[in-house]
């Protein structure tokens, strides 16, 4: 039950529906919540709800699919927000649980050729999966036996992304850093991808999906963001004198080229860095 409505998975296992009373027709409706993202649900085996709080008023529904992905539904009915995203990891999500409004997941991973299971906690301060934080980094990191034999990402103080390393498959599972750092996070990599809906414009004589259009300029509203790319082109980050970076808050724009009948914008982030996008503005030429 979420916000006065009931959500349930359709019998076919291919859609999530919302059962709610419609005052206009004085009857109950069961509209599909996956109408615009039909591929997001794939034979689900588990569903959990994380209700909004004073810090985050959105409600999230976590649906564990049988293919090892996690379908996440973001709902804020008062603001007409109903959005989907797909979570993947190096392994398979097997189950999810919300305890005291904190998300925990059961993950199946193949570590050094052996299938293992981990209970992992969602933590917005981490930028890697199955990560470990060293508050006093130094030049040597030990105790990474839960990732033995795995390629890992490292991000040190001041959001400095270090070269990837592979955890040795032997005790004490030590990584050696190229220089001394004050703190460092080590974990498995994941990329972030956001793709907009195709741009469709009314040119004055109605909609024509055959007309080609060009997105000439894209402006992003960012909050504490680094390492953001638009259609593969990086938004420039400011590097400090000591080699560190400061997350950017504000607007950044980029000019694009190319014509398409259904242009889309793809925003990516391939490094373990912070990024919150609060708005997208596109200038379209028809």
């Amino acid at each position: 039950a979420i916000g006065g409505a009931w959500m349930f998975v359709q019998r076919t296992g291919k859609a999530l529906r919302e059962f709610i009373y419609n005052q206009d027709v004085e009857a109950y409706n069961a509209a599909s919540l996956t109408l615009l993202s039909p591929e997001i649900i794939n034979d689900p085996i588990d569903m959990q709800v994380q209700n909004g709080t004073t810090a985050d008023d959105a409600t999230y529904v976590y649906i564990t699919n049988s293919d090892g992905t996690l379908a996440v539904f973001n709902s804020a009915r008062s603001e007409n927000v109903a959005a989907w995203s797909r979570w993947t990891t190096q392994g398979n999500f097997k189950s999810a649980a919300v305890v005291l409004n904190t998300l925990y997941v059961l993950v199946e991973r193949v570590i050094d050729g052996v299938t293992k299971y981990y209970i992992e906690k969602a933590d917005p301060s981490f930028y890697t999966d199955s990560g470990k934080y060293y508050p006093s980094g130094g030049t040597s990191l030990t105790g990474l036996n839960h990732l033995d034999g795995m390629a890992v990402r490292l991000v040190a103080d001041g959001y400095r992304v270090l070269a990837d390393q592979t955890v040795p498959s032997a005790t004490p599972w030590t990584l050696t850093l190229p220089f001394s750092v004050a703190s460092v996070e080590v974990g498995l990599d994941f990329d972030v991808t956001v793709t907009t809906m195709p741009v469709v414009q009314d040119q004055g004589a109605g909609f024509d999906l055959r007309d080609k259009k060009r997105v000439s300029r894209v402006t992003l509203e960012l909050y504490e963001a680094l390492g953001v790319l638009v259609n593969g082109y990086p938004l420039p980050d400011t590097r400090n004198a000591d080699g560190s970076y400061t997350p950017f808050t504000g607007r950044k724009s980029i000019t694009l080229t190319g014509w398409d009948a259904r242009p889309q914008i793809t925003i990516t982030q391939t490094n373990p860095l912070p990024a919150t996008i609060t708005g997208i503005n596109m200038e379209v030429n028809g």
Side-chain angles (χ1 to χ4, degrees):
I2 299 175
W6 289 88
M7 294 183 182
F8 64 93
V9 176
Q10 189 171 302
R11 178 166 51 95
T12 59
K14 298 296 182 183
L16 181 72
R17 292 189 173 273
E18 181 182 59
F19 189 66
I20 189 170
Y21 185 76
N22 188 333
Q23 294 182 349
D24 294 334
V25 297
E26 296 184 350
Y28 284 94
N29 293 339
S32 173
L33 296 173
T34 51
L35 185 63
L36 298 179
S37 301
E39 75 289 344
I40 200 78
I41 299 292
N42 183 13
D43 192 19
I45 56 178
D46 186 33
M47 181 163 62
Q48 289 287 315
V49 175
Q50 185 178 32
N51 291 306
T53 63
T54 55
D56 187 354
D57 55 3
T59 295
Y60 297 91
V61 180
Y62 303 96
I63 300 178
T64 308
N65 289 318
S66 59
D67 61 3
T69 62
L70 204 65
V72 183
F73 182 64
N74 178 356
S75 175
R77 189 185 304 279
S78 61
E79 302 299 327
N80 293 323
V81 173
W84 286 98
S85 60
R86 177 187 284 113
W87 289 8
T88 60
T89 188
Q90 293 187 37
N92 296 306
F93 291 107
K94 305 300 290 184
S95 183
V98 175
V99 181
L100 299 178
N101 224 43
T102 299
L103 173 68
Y104 295 85
V105 290
L106 175 65
V107 183
E108 176 189 72
R109 303 190 190 278
V110 178
I111 305 295
D112 200 20
V114 180
T115 300
K116 297 183 178 182
Y117 295 89
Y118 297 102
I119 295 177
E120 300 180 2
K121 173 185 176 181
D123 188 336
S125 65
F126 272 72
Y127 306 112
T128 59
D129 278 347
S130 200
K132 186 172 182 177
Y133 179 69
Y134 293 82
S136 54
T139 58
S140 182
L141 309 177
T142 61
L144 288 164
N145 55 304
H146 72 293
L147 294 175
D148 55 350
M150 300 291 289
V152 293
R153 305 297 307 272
L154 300 93
V155 56
D157 40 280
Y159 300 106
R160 302 169 69 177
V161 179
L162 308 183
D164 297 355
Q165 294 198 43
T166 299
V167 179
S169 300
T171 183
W173 301 283
T174 301
L175 295 181
T176 301
L177 304 183
F179 51 85
S180 180
V181 298
S183 61
V184 63
E185 175 190 337
V186 183
L188 299 177
D189 183 45
F190 66 87
D191 292 342
V192 177
T193 302
V194 178
T195 303
T196 65
M197 297 293 288
V199 176
V200 179
Q201 280 190 318
D202 185 353
Q203 302 296 336
F207 293 97
D208 190 345
L209 299 180
R210 298 172 299 175
D211 290 343
K212 288 191 174 182
K213 296 166 284 292
R214 180 171 73 93
V215 179
S216 58
R217 188 178 182 86
V218 176
T219 301
L220 300 184
E221 291 277 359
L222 302 172
Y223 175 74
E224 295 188 354
L226 287 170
V228 177
L229 297 89
V230 178
N231 283 10
Y233 299 100
L235 297 178
D237 295 319
T238 302
R239 184 176 181 178
N240 302 319
D242 61 355
S244 65
Y245 292 85
T246 301
F248 175 81
T249 297
R251 295 180 179 179
K252 283 190 177 182
S253 299
I254 188 170
T255 301
L256 301 176
T257 60
W259 294 78
D260 197 296
R262 293 166 61 83
Q264 292 177 281
I265 299 301
T266 299
I267 302 168
T268 55
Q269 187 189 49
T270 57
N271 282 320
L273 295 169
T276 298
I277 301 170
T278 60
I280 304 174
N281 179 269
M282 293 180 284
E283 296 179 17
V284 182
N285 304 112

